[in-house]
Amino acid sequence: ENLMSKKENTTALVPYLSQYLVISGAETGGGVFDIKENLDGERPEFPTIKILHAGVEMFEMAEGEKVDSFEGIILWKGFAMMFWQRSFQESGGGSPPDCWSNDMLTPDGSIETPQYPRCGGCPQNRWGSDNKGSGKACKETRRLFLVLPGDYLPSKLIISPGNLKPTLTFFTNLANRGLDYSQVIVRFSLEKVVGKQSKIAYSGLVFEKVQVITDKGVLTALKRLRDNNLPVMRALTPEM
């Protein structure tokens, strides 16, 4: 389905937003590209943007390119909690969580042996339950699904527990100004942060509001893109 069928609706965009014309049904080749036809019957794997740590304040984009910053529009934000029986050192990473929740209220229905019926009372969700005796064994994260210039599908950025505070601050500031998060073009960058307790350096996420989107055509296209992809975005198994 074309998100905007009338070509004239795209011509009124300011030059900066022309990078995002693809979400408005931009023409490619001899006709309009139909993403639904390409992915008919498939469950898309959204491109993933990774935050690199260990003294490297950079992002690894979906195709492997490393950048120190990028810009995009936040299409949707999801909540997730994840618990692994074995530590990263034991498993080597890459395995799905043993228990998880996509609403932070109850474990996902697909889990055969949930840790507890409700996230709120779960022993793994208590401070001091991790193997260091200081944090939580069940990790709280956020997933930001982003529209990047020139892309048809949203990309996902995983927000680790250490970056929850700047994420909350950014969303709170937008709400205080009466702005929907999908109404803003955001620049994402990183800075070196040292954990207060762990004393370990990691990449801290920095949000910067670049431009507020006022064009009704683009806002309508963003809403349709979010609505079309929301069932899949909600159902994804959380990851770190």
Side-chain angles (χ1 to χ4, degrees):
E1 179 185 8
N2 299 324
L3 298 178
M4 284 176 58
S5 59
K6 294 184 179 180
K7 187 174 180 180
E8 61 267 25
N9 285 345
T10 67
T11 60
L13 299 177
V14 295
Y16 188 89
L17 283 177
S18 64
Q19 301 174 73
Y20 294 92
L21 279 176
V22 67
I23 68 168
S24 303
E27 291 188 353
T28 58
V32 177
F33 172 63
D34 190 343
I35 192 168
K36 281 194 171 182
E37 182 176 342
N38 276 37
L39 295 175
D40 185 31
E42 304 288 348
R43 179 180 288 270
E45 289 289 337
F46 296 122
T48 300
I49 302 169
K50 298 179 181 178
I51 298 176
L52 303 181
H53 297 280
V56 182
E57 289 80 47
M58 299 194 79
F59 298 96
E60 183 177 319
M61 307 306 283
E63 296 182 355
E65 180 186 6
K66 294 179 176 62
V67 300
D68 56 13
S69 67
F70 68 93
E71 294 178 6
I73 302 168
I74 302 172
L75 189 68
W76 184 70
K77 64 182 176 78
F79 302 86
M81 300 189 74
M82 298 169 284
F83 170 75
W84 285 265
Q85 291 281 3
R86 296 196 300 164
S87 67
F88 180 86
Q89 289 75 16
E90 293 173 323
S91 67
S95 59
D98 297 293
C99 186
W100 74 88
S101 171
N102 278 332
D103 60 9
M104 300 176 62
L105 297 175
T106 57
D108 189 83
S110 65
I111 300 170
E112 295 182 0
T113 54
Q115 294 296 303
Y116 201 75
R118 301 180 311 280
C119 296
C122 181
Q124 311 297 350
N125 192 27
R126 296 173 184 168
W127 291 104
S129 59
D130 68 358
N131 55 10
K132 296 180 181 179
S134 57
K136 295 182 178 182
C138 190
K139 305 301 182 185
E140 180 181 341
T141 67
R142 298 288 183 274
R143 292 176 291 175
L144 301 185
F145 292 86
L146 313 173
V147 177
L148 303 185
D151 284 2
Y152 284 87
L153 284 173
S155 295
K156 65 177 183 289
L157 175 66
I158 309 300
I159 308 298
S160 62
N163 277 313
L164 290 179
K165 185 174 181 180
T167 303
L168 174 61
T169 298
F170 179 72
F171 280 93
T172 301
N173 289 341
L174 289 181
N176 189 45
R177 292 172 173 82
L179 293 172
D180 187 281
Y181 57 77
S182 61
Q183 192 182 346
V184 176
I185 296 175
V186 182
R187 179 177 294 114
F188 300 86
S189 60
L190 297 164
E191 63 181 4
K192 182 179 179 180
V193 177
V194 178
K196 292 182 179 180
Q197 294 184 345
S198 67
K199 306 301 180 185
I200 297 175
Y202 64 93
S203 297
L205 193 57
V206 178
F207 297 81
E208 179 185 350
K209 178 167 63 70
V210 175
Q211 181 176 341
V212 176
I213 303 170
T214 57
D215 185 275
K216 292 183 179 179
V218 173
L219 293 174
T220 299
L222 284 167
K223 185 179 184 305
R224 290 181 181 174
L225 184 64
R226 176 166 55 188
D227 292 346
N228 287 342
N229 287 285
L230 191 56
V232 180
M233 293 189 292
R234 285 188 185 276
L236 287 177
T237 302
E239 58 186 302
M240 289 290 282

